[in-house]
Structures are given as structure tokens and as C-alpha cells.
Amino acid sequence: MPEIQVDAETIERLDSLQTEDESYDELINELINIYEAEELTLFHSGDEV
């Protein structure tokens, strides 16, 4: 897995979103999944005629 560096503000924001036993990896994967799902929804919303 690639390593990334984030600033203190980003860590604070991630901490505020984290649930009790959730790791940063799990949280970031969840955020990516939400982003991808919204992107697909926006992409396909204009397909209906």
C-alpha cells in the first residue's frame, strides 16, 4: 500500500469522522466508496430521456 503524508488539519477531520474501532484505512476506503457511488449516480442521472 502506498504511503501518504497528510497535514494535522486532515488528521483532525479524519478523527472526527472515525467510529470507535475504525482504522484510518477503513475510513478512507469508506469515503472512496461513497465518492465513487456518488460519481456513478451523477454520471448516470443524465442518461434518462
Side-chain angles (χ1 to χ4, degrees), residues 8-25:
E9 182 183 348
T10 303
I11 295 292
E12 288 175 16
R13 292 177 70 184
L14 288 173
D15 287 342
S16 71
L17 294 171
Q18 230 172 358
T19 58
E20 291 176 12
D21 296 334
E22 191 173 37
S23 70
Y24 285 129
D25 286 344

Side-chain angles (χ1 to χ4, degrees), residues 2-49:
E3 235 179 80
I4 61 167
Q5 293 182 2
V6 294
D7 61 20
E9 182 183 348
T10 303
I11 295 292
E12 288 175 16
R13 292 177 70 184
L14 288 173
D15 287 342
S16 71
L17 294 171
Q18 230 172 358
T19 58
E20 291 176 12
D21 296 334
E22 191 173 37
S23 70
Y24 285 129
D25 286 344
E26 292 169 327
L27 174 60
I28 291 169
N29 280 327
E30 183 178 344
L31 292 172
I32 290 170
N33 289 338
I34 291 168
Y35 173 79
E36 288 175 343
E38 287 180 4
E39 185 179 79
L40 288 174
T41 302
L42 289 173
F43 179 73
H44 292 292
S45 65
D47 288 348
E48 293 183 28
V49 181

